[in-house]
Amino acid sequence: AQKVTQAQTEISVVEKEDVTLDCVYETRDTTYYLFWYKQPPSGELVFLIRRNSFDEQNEISGRYSWNFQKSTSSFNFTITASQVVDSAVYFCALSEAGGTSYGKLTFGQGTILTVHP
Amino acid sequence: NAGVTQTPKFQVLKTGQSMTLQCAQDMNHEYMSWYRQDPGMGLRLIHYSVGAGITDQGEVPNGYNVSRSTTEDFPLRLLSAAPSQTSVYFCASSYSGAVPEAFFGQGTRLTVV
């Protein structure tokens, strides 16, 4: 069975601080995808990034960066110089790759990030 | 391009009533899913479909029914609403292969009293 754990329930920072959101996953599959989604106060789910199990290259997109380490089964998300607009709930998710698995995501519990001005 | 459209956005039901949450996507995605979001539990998969005429159960299917007669539509039926079904419901669609990420509708907030 797959499992995603986001141990940080809530994080509070002051604007311009860097913050890292942790994600640890469990799967028996050798081929899988990892995702991060953002849920702002308006409630919609916004896709941020996808990483497949064969690609451990870290990714940077503006103030966002992601660190994928298969050795520790982690896919952590760092926001550099946080802004108030980053305040949201962030979800890490996992799916198998291939076959009938693409539509089946296993989500972590979510981390509520609050950025204070 | 509308993406994934869910209706209604809000609904209040009495215990025992039935209703259908509608979901439509215009991206020609093969895969569609329903999730429920409850505080502290993330999103949990209710039912999913890999194409028209094919559905299967997810993690929490009890009390819900689905069908998929077309590629575009994937309605979720609550057969006899219970207070435990009070939740926010999300429909999602995804495409296999190079673009496996799921795209979500705006959600339906359901309250069962």
Side-chain angles (χ1 to χ4, degrees):
Chain A
Q2 300 176 327
K3 185 177 180 182
V4 176
T5 302
Q6 295 178 253
Q8 304 151 307
T9 305
E10 291 191 53
I11 300 176
S12 181
V13 299
V14 177
E15 213 170 16
K16 298 184 183 171
E17 282 187 40
D18 298 347
V19 57
T20 295
L21 310 182
D22 297 331
C23 173
V24 174
Y25 63 92
E26 297 174 28
T27 179
R28 282 180 249 174
D29 301 305
T30 56
T31 308
Y32 51 89
Y33 289 100
L34 293 162
F35 308 88
W36 276 96
Y37 285 86
K38 175 182 180 179
Q39 187 176 45
S42 51
E44 72 271 24
L45 285 156
V46 178
F47 165 73
L48 293 178
I49 192 169
R50 167 205 355 132
R51 177 64 70 224
N52 73 49
S53 53
F54 293 105
D55 182 4
E56 285 195 71
Q57 193 172 13
N58 292 333
E59 175 134 354
I60 299 175
S61 176
R63 296 184 297 107
Y64 294 173
S65 62
W66 291 269
N67 179 260
F68 174 34
Q69 292 195 334
K70 283 180 77 170
S71 60
T72 56
S73 297
S74 65
F75 186 42
N76 297 336
F77 173 28
T78 297
I79 301 175
T80 302
S82 59
Q83 299 177 2
V84 172
V85 294
D86 296 326
S87 296
V89 184
Y90 291 87
F91 291 99
C92 181
L94 166 72
S95 78
E96 298 174 20
T100 61
S101 303
Y102 289 108
K104 298 166 67 175
L105 296 177
T106 299
F107 281 84
Q109 303 91 321
T111 297
I112 302 169
L113 174 65
T114 304
V115 182
H116 299 281
Chain B
N1 192 345
V4 181
T5 303
Q6 284 183 240
T7 55
K9 287 193 170 63
F10 301 94
Q11 183 70 49
V12 178
L13 287 180
K14 293 183 179 177
T15 298
Q17 285 185 318
S18 63
M19 80 158 293
T20 299
L21 307 185
Q22 301 292 344
C23 176
Q25 54 95 5
D26 62 0
M27 297 175 282
N28 202 30
H29 284 172
E30 300 166 63
Y31 301 88
M32 295 187 74
S33 311
W34 278 101
Y35 296 84
R36 59 177 289 171
Q37 181 180 9
D38 301 293
M41 303 189 73
L43 283 80
R44 292 179 292 167
L45 181 65
I46 304 171
H47 284 287
Y48 69 98
S49 169
V50 301
I54 307 171
T55 64
D56 205 347
Q57 296 181 350
E59 181 186 351
V60 288
N62 292 341
Y64 307 95
N65 199 8
V66 293
S67 60
R68 184 128 178 243
S69 55
T70 67
T71 300
E72 294 77 22
D73 300 300
F74 191 43
L76 178 72
R77 297 181 189 84
L78 279 71
L79 308 173
S80 177
S84 61
Q85 293 178 304
T86 293
S87 188
V88 180
Y89 292 85
F90 286 95
C91 177
S93 73
S94 54
Y95 185 70
S96 63
V99 189
E101 52 268 25
F103 294 89
F104 287 83
Q106 295 205 314
T108 296
R109 184 172 294 275
L110 175 69
T111 303
V112 182
V113 297

